[in-house]
Amino acid sequence: MRSTEIGHERTGTDDDRGGTGDGIQGRRLLILGGTWFLGRTLAETALSMGWKVTCFNRGRTGRDVPGTETVRGDRANPEDVRRLAERGPWDAVVDTSVYEPPDALLMARALHPVASRYVLISTVSAYRHWPHEPVDEASPLWPSRPDARESDADIAAMPGPYAYGTLKAGCEQAVHEVYGDMALILRPGVVLGPYEYVGRLQTLLGRAARGGKMLAAGDPDQPIQPVDVRDLTDFTLSLIRDGVTGEFNVAAPHGHATYGDLLTACAQATGSAAHLVWVEAAWLADQDVRQWTEIPLWRTPAGTWAVDASRARDAGLVCRPLLATVTDTWRWLQAEQPVPHERQAEHGLDPAKEARLLTAWEAQQALR
């Protein structure tokens, strides 16, 4: 791995920075991020395909991928971004890390002369009515603007999830403003797999590994649509390779798996003797339990797992079995700890609270 601090003399020669590749081998890819979860998986996979990979990040967290050219800098610093652009050209840039629209606009403008396409990893949270209603690519996004900042009065006044979706929609606007039809916007739902740092699957696996009675929320037949990070990666790189642009939701197809499949897979992967106790969603919703975090990936709004990703499927998205995702994540966790992140503390029920809930639920069931 070559590492260059922005502001210092560049490494490499002009030959190293030659024109963009015409085939699968020799393509040049810029990843904004490249050390966490999706970015790390993208870097590793692209390298395995023979692509030349540059990663731009601050170097404060995560793990650099051996074999990449790593450039240090802050994407909010115009001088850092200008010097990054000098290292081009690239066939494509994949932006895994942008949060505020002005940062997306700054980067897109700087890279437009040296990166043929801009791939923005957005989110289904950009849809105005998700998770309350089903969504497809024609569903309305949050009203936003390319200059929106989290600190703006109108954004700061929003509940956190709405502000997040509004800012992501603004990032999409910013990229479209510069790249137009050469932009590729991917809107994943829930992404799971090795290198995950959010803490959702790690929490469920850890709880299953402890065994005993394990609170299981809602209906075991509830369909779910998480996508494996490696499948999202393969799909992203295939679209870049084939010159595809446009907008795609990225989620597992309907019928791919259920919430019961997920918890059963966690027990199976860990070799646990955990006994799943299924608790009705309506009762649980009245018990001061935070959906999505205290009980990871459990959420009652109707649109949560109603993301239409048929367009991605038709374009080549293939999703591996959920058991493979869960098993591979557990195997990874035995060898490496996730990158520390503040969101990890949000996930999981306190064991004492889980025991109280199970006792109360079983007592109510005994009276029926």
Side-chain angles (χ1 to χ4, degrees):
M1 175 191 68
R2 293 181 294 168
S3 179
T4 304
E5 294 289 339
I6 283 289
H8 289 63
E9 183 179 356
R10 298 197 306 269
T11 61
T13 67
D14 289 340
D15 288 339
D16 291 329
R17 300 175 64 246
T20 55
D22 294 327
I24 294 177
Q25 296 291 326
R27 288 183 180 271
R28 292 173 60 92
L29 181 68
L30 170 63
I31 301 174
L32 305 181
T35 62
W36 289 20
F37 202 23
L38 175 59
R40 182 178 172 187
T41 308
L42 279 165
E44 291 178 347
T45 305
L47 285 172
S48 73
M49 296 165 59
W51 294 17
K52 297 180 180 180
V53 180
T54 301
C55 296
F56 175 72
N57 53 67
R58 294 177 298 179
R60 297 178 182 176
T61 56
R63 297 172 176 87
D64 292 324
V65 174
T68 61
E69 177 184 38
T70 298
V71 181
R72 301 296 188 212
D74 188 336
R75 65 175 305 146
N77 184 317
E79 183 64 15
D80 286 359
V81 173
R82 182 189 67 79
R83 289 177 174 155
L84 170 66
E86 291 179 349
R87 303 189 67 81
W90 295 279
D91 294 278
V93 52
V94 182
D95 193 340
T96 69
S97 60
V98 71
Y99 178 58
E100 294 189 312
D103 297 337
L105 190 61
L106 171 65
M107 187 66 72
R109 285 173 172 169
L111 295 179
H112 188 255
V114 294
S116 301
R117 273 172 295 154
Y118 202 111
V119 183
L120 175 65
I121 307 299
S122 186
T123 169
V124 295
S125 294
Y127 289 114
R128 173 67 178 82
H129 300 299
W130 186 87
H132 305 289
E133 299 177 9
V135 294
D136 59 25
E137 286 85 357
S139 299
L141 303 180
W142 280 98
S144 192
R145 57 185 189 278
D147 63 347
R149 289 284 188 189
E150 186 177 28
S151 57
D152 293 347
D154 58 334
I155 305 297
M158 293 179 174
Y162 296 172
Y164 173 67
T166 298
L167 291 172
K168 283 293 193 177
C171 291
E172 293 189 21
Q173 290 182 21
V175 172
H176 275 304
E177 179 178 310
V178 178
Y179 272 81
D181 292 341
M182 296 306 292
L184 173 59
I185 307 296
L186 302 181
R187 300 185 186 118
V190 172
V191 183
L192 301 177
Y195 307 157
E196 183 204 341
Y197 65 88
V198 176
R200 293 164 177 156
L201 187 49
Q202 296 98 308
T203 295
L204 291 175
L205 283 164
R207 175 59 192 89
R210 294 202 308 270
K213 292 182 178 180
M214 177 177 172
L215 191 151
D219 181 359
D221 294 325
Q222 168 64 55
I224 61 174
Q225 297 178 278
V227 64
D228 191 292
V229 65
R230 296 163 294 182
D231 298 331
L232 172 57
T233 290
D234 291 344
F235 181 59
T236 302
L237 295 178
S238 72
L239 295 180
I240 293 172
R241 179 197 62 208
D242 296 338
V244 178
T245 56
E247 300 172 354
F248 295 87
N249 294 333
V250 186
H254 297 294
H256 182 73
T258 67
Y259 196 60
D261 292 335
L262 174 64
L263 298 190
T264 300
C266 287
Q268 182 175 336
T270 59
S272 165
H275 171 64
L276 300 178
V277 179
W278 290 96
V279 179
E280 290 178 1
W283 182 87
L284 200 56
D286 293 332
Q287 305 303 313
D288 189 31
V289 175
R290 295 191 305 278
Q291 298 184 33
W292 210 238
T293 52
E294 279 193 293
I295 303 181
L297 302 179
W298 171 66
R299 207 172 197 173
T300 56
T304 302
W305 301 111
V307 176
D308 184 349
S310 58
R311 190 162 184 258
R313 179 200 62 214
D314 293 344
L317 174 66
V318 176
C319 294
R320 71 194 66 203
L322 181 60
L323 178 59
T325 300
V326 174
T327 301
D328 291 347
T329 301
W330 179 249
R331 184 178 297 116
W332 162 66
L333 287 169
Q334 307 316 296
E336 181 180 314
Q337 289 301 303
V339 173
H341 193 276
E342 60 186 9
R343 293 180 64 184
Q344 293 166 6
E346 300 175 354
H347 293 89
L349 274 170
D350 176 80
K353 183 174 182 177
E354 180 185 26
R356 289 196 302 272
L357 289 169
L358 286 172
T359 298
W361 170 251
E362 291 174 341
Q364 176 170 301
Q365 294 301 104
L367 296 176
R368 291 185 176 181

